[in-house]
């Protein structure tokens, strides 16, 4: 009787989530992989807004691995026409779009146990976590690093003094191609991360 009661309180997670969690139980001696990612969204409220697209690129051995790349566009159940001028993603655009669940599953399969990198990454992680919550699973388990925080540390800036991605690209002479697309911003942030990582000697 006690065993049956225990089974009832242990959550039966879907296969994709179990597969993702299993990545963290594997041999940790393998080479460090970073994944730089960015989300384009309908707005800046993680509770009510939704993800429009996710772009991500892998880094190993201090090199961007061009073939280690993903980009996915999501079907837009929530649409904010006011933000189209910024990201350029139309509700009925030419891009192939998938439902949110499929996009998130693809993202988890891509990142595995990599350390996640982004600029002001807390927002992007929260957007992913909200989508995971809608799938009735847990939150991201990956470690994360923020290029804004890295720059603060490098320059001994106060926590409240933030720098935009555009500002840091200008400082480090990074070409801002495909700015305000998820894949473009992920690539730009990857270049910035490598420069800051080298300067911080990490």
């Amino acid at each position: 009787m006690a065993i049956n009661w225990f089974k009832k309180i242990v959550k039966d997670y879907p296969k994709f989530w179990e597969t993702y969690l299993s990545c963290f139980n594997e041999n940790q001696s393998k080479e460090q992989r970073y994944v730089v990612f960015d989300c384009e969204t309908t707005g800046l409220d993680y509770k009510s807004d939704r993800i429009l697209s996710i772009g991500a690129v892998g880094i190993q051995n201090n090199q961007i691995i061009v073939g280690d790349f993903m980009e996915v566009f999501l079907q837009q159940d929530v649409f904010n026409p006011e933000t189209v001028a910024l990201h350029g993603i139309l509700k009925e655009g030419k891009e192939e779009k998938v439902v949110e669940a499929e996009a998130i599953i693809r993202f988890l399969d891509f990142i595995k146990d990599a350390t996640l990198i982004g600029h002001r990454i807390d927002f992007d992680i929260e957007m992913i976590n909200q989508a995971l919550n809608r799938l009735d699973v847990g939150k991201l388990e990956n470690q994360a690093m923020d290029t804004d925080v890295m720059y603060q540390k490098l320059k001994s800036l106060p926590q409240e003094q933030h720098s935009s991605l555009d500002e840091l690209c200008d400082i480090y002479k990074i070409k801002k191609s495909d700015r305000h697309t998820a894949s473009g911003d992920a690539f730009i942030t990857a270049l910035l991360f490598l420069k800051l990582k080298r300067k911080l000697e990490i």
Side-chain angles (χ1 to χ4, degrees):
M1 188 70 177
I3 293 174
N4 290 336
W5 175 81
F6 179 72
K7 283 182 177 178
K8 286 181 181 178
I9 65 167
V10 175
K11 194 172 178 67
D12 186 19
Y13 284 119
K15 181 66 177 172
F16 78 85
W17 186 247
E18 291 182 350
T19 301
Y20 166 69
L21 293 180
S22 71
C23 295
F24 297 90
N25 300 324
E26 294 172 2
N27 186 356
Q28 296 299 311
S29 64
K30 62 184 184 295
E31 184 185 331
Q32 172 71 63
R33 177 172 175 256
Y34 300 93
V35 168
V36 187
F37 85 103
D38 180 76
C39 299
E40 290 300 315
T41 63
T42 57
L44 298 175
D45 185 335
Y46 64 81
K47 291 184 179 177
S48 59
D49 284 302
R50 295 292 186 271
I51 298 169
L52 297 171
S53 65
I54 307 170
V57 62
I59 290 178
Q60 284 182 297
N61 280 332
N62 292 320
Q63 292 184 337
I64 297 170
I65 311 300
V66 178
D68 191 14
F69 168 81
M70 76 157 284
E71 181 176 44
V72 63
F73 293 88
L74 283 71
Q75 291 179 10
Q76 296 177 36
D77 298 322
V78 175
F79 180 69
N80 181 358
E82 295 175 6
T83 62
V84 171
L86 188 63
H87 51 65
I89 302 173
L90 299 171
K91 187 170 186 178
E92 303 299 336
K94 63 183 184 300
E95 305 91 354
E96 179 192 352
K97 295 184 172 73
V98 301
V99 296
E100 182 180 75
E102 183 178 341
I104 296 301
I105 291 169
R106 282 193 202 175
F107 179 69
L108 294 180
D109 185 54
F110 179 78
I111 64 172
K112 297 181 171 60
D113 64 344
T115 297
L116 301 179
I117 312 296
H119 193 77
R120 309 297 292 276
I121 196 171
D122 286 352
F123 174 75
D124 296 277
I125 287 176
E126 193 54 55
M127 290 298 294
I128 299 289
N129 282 338
Q130 289 292 320
L132 289 170
N133 185 55
R134 287 189 285 276
L135 292 175
D136 197 27
V137 293
K139 295 183 177 184
L140 287 174
E141 298 276 334
N142 307 65
Q143 293 185 348
M145 296 173 68
D146 189 329
T147 47
D148 184 35
V149 174
M150 292 173 73
Y151 184 71
Q152 286 174 341
K153 289 181 178 177
L154 180 65
K155 298 297 182 180
S156 300
L157 300 174
Q159 257 188 329
E160 64 273 9
Q161 186 173 334
H162 299 289
S163 304
S164 70
L165 184 56
D166 286 320
E167 288 170 337
L168 296 187
C169 284
D170 290 340
I171 290 168
Y172 291 106
K173 297 179 171 52
I174 296 170
K175 188 177 178 182
K176 292 176 277 190
S177 55
D178 290 329
R179 184 76 175 91
H180 297 301
T181 66
S183 57
D185 284 357
F187 184 73
I188 290 166
T189 305
L191 293 172
L192 175 61
F193 169 69
L194 288 175
K195 286 178 180 285
L196 292 171
K197 185 174 180 289
R198 186 164 58 246
K199 289 179 179 296
L200 288 165
E201 298 181 344
I202 55 176

